[in-house]
Amino acid sequence: MVTSPGGDDVAGRVIIVTGAGRGIGRGIAHHLARSGATVVVGELVARRLSRILTELSEIGGPHLGESCDVRVKEDIDGLVTKALDRFGRIDGLVNNAVTYRGPEPLAEISDEAMDGVYLSGVKAALWGMQSVYPHMARAGWGRIVNVGSSAGIVGLPGFGAYAAAKEAIRGLTRTAAREWAADGIVVNCYCPASYEERSTTEVSPYLAAADARSDRRCGTRHWPGRALPLFRRLPLPHW
């Protein structure tokens, strides 16, 4: 059993990050590793998993990476079990992974698209929280960060299914925060904005319209490889 560190600093803490192979999840994993945390990454795409593991090795410090499809509950439970087997405890969880389709008008969203984003987003976040809960409750300490999106807050055109799923995750977060506070578990959700490093008119007319009307204060511009500065402005490495 690994001796539990004291205080709220992430140094020495064992933290799981799902969807850590690219974008924001990759930036979180980098930041946590540089801050002294033991990082456990879950990633579905093999080449992305290989890349993040190489990067974590270069940063230094203990880490573990496993293939994980968050749409499969057994994969999430397996990731948690492997983290426990290797490091003896779980102190933190970042529910970051989600799969979704590209922009499409609300009137044309299919059941398949809605079910897909709810499975990989809402249900996956719930499964992750449920899987780590007994271990955190037993320790009397835990930190869970769920990733929402400003798309849900502002109603980003073209992203109805994604926005709905992210708002549902905020609802789960609020309930978990109230139910699990007595167990020493703090649950939070943050809602970044993501913009590709290219003209939005090249991506979608819906994004272009939203980009023209959006309140820049609602989010932070970021693209893959530049997520880390975002987290330097968040209350990390202190949970």
Side-chain angles (χ1 to χ4, degrees):
M1 177 69 72
V2 178
T3 302
S4 179
D8 288 333
D9 197 283
V10 300
R13 297 288 184 185
V14 179
I15 303 169
I16 296 174
V17 183
T18 66
R22 67 173 178 174
I24 288 178
R26 184 181 173 200
I28 294 174
H30 287 180
H31 179 73
L32 291 173
R34 291 191 177 107
S35 299
T38 295
V39 184
V40 179
V41 298
E43 171 59 49
L44 176 61
V45 180
R47 59 182 173 79
R48 294 175 187 158
L49 178 60
S50 176
R51 178 178 65 182
I52 187 63
L53 290 178
T54 297
E55 292 167 347
L56 292 177
S57 294
E58 292 171 353
I59 293 171
H63 59 275
L64 173 67
E66 294 290 336
S67 176
C68 180
D69 185 346
V70 296
R71 297 168 297 184
V72 180
K73 185 177 186 297
E74 290 75 16
D75 273 22
I76 295 174
D77 290 338
L79 181 64
V80 171
T81 297
K82 288 174 181 177
L84 287 167
D85 289 344
R86 175 73 67 87
F87 303 113
R89 69 174 198 281
I90 295 172
D91 301 305
L93 167 67
V94 180
N95 277 316
N96 170 74
V98 66
T99 61
Y100 67 96
R101 296 183 177 184
E104 59 184 334
L106 192 69
E108 298 176 12
I109 295 175
S110 66
D111 288 346
E112 180 184 4
M114 182 64 80
D115 292 345
V117 76
Y118 260 74
L119 178 61
S120 65
V122 184
K123 294 187 75 171
L126 175 62
W127 290 336
M129 290 191 291
Q130 290 175 329
S131 192
V132 301
Y133 169 73
H135 310 291
M136 291 181 175
R138 190 177 303 116
W141 198 99
R143 299 293 184 266
I144 298 173
V145 177
N146 294 324
V147 180
S149 174
S150 66
I153 296 173
V154 304
L156 185 63
F159 285 84
Y162 180 77
K166 288 299 189 178
E167 287 296 276
I169 289 172
R170 286 214 295 162
L172 284 177
T173 302
R174 292 190 182 99
T175 299
R178 290 180 178 272
E179 289 190 8
W180 296 351
D183 298 307
I185 302 171
V186 177
V187 188
N188 280 297
C189 179
Y190 77 98
C191 301
S194 176
Y195 293 84
E196 294 291 338
E197 192 179 23
R198 54 182 168 169
S199 169
T200 50
T201 56
E202 298 176 19
V203 182
S204 162
Y206 304 103
L207 281 177
D211 198 45
R213 295 192 300 268
S214 65
D215 182 348
R216 296 300 185 188
R217 292 172 296 178
C218 290
T220 301
R221 282 188 174 273
H222 108 88
W223 42 86
R226 295 193 181 182
L228 187 56
L230 171 64
F231 292 93
R232 285 177 177 152
R233 292 194 292 273
L234 293 177
L236 288 174
H238 298 286
W239 290 63

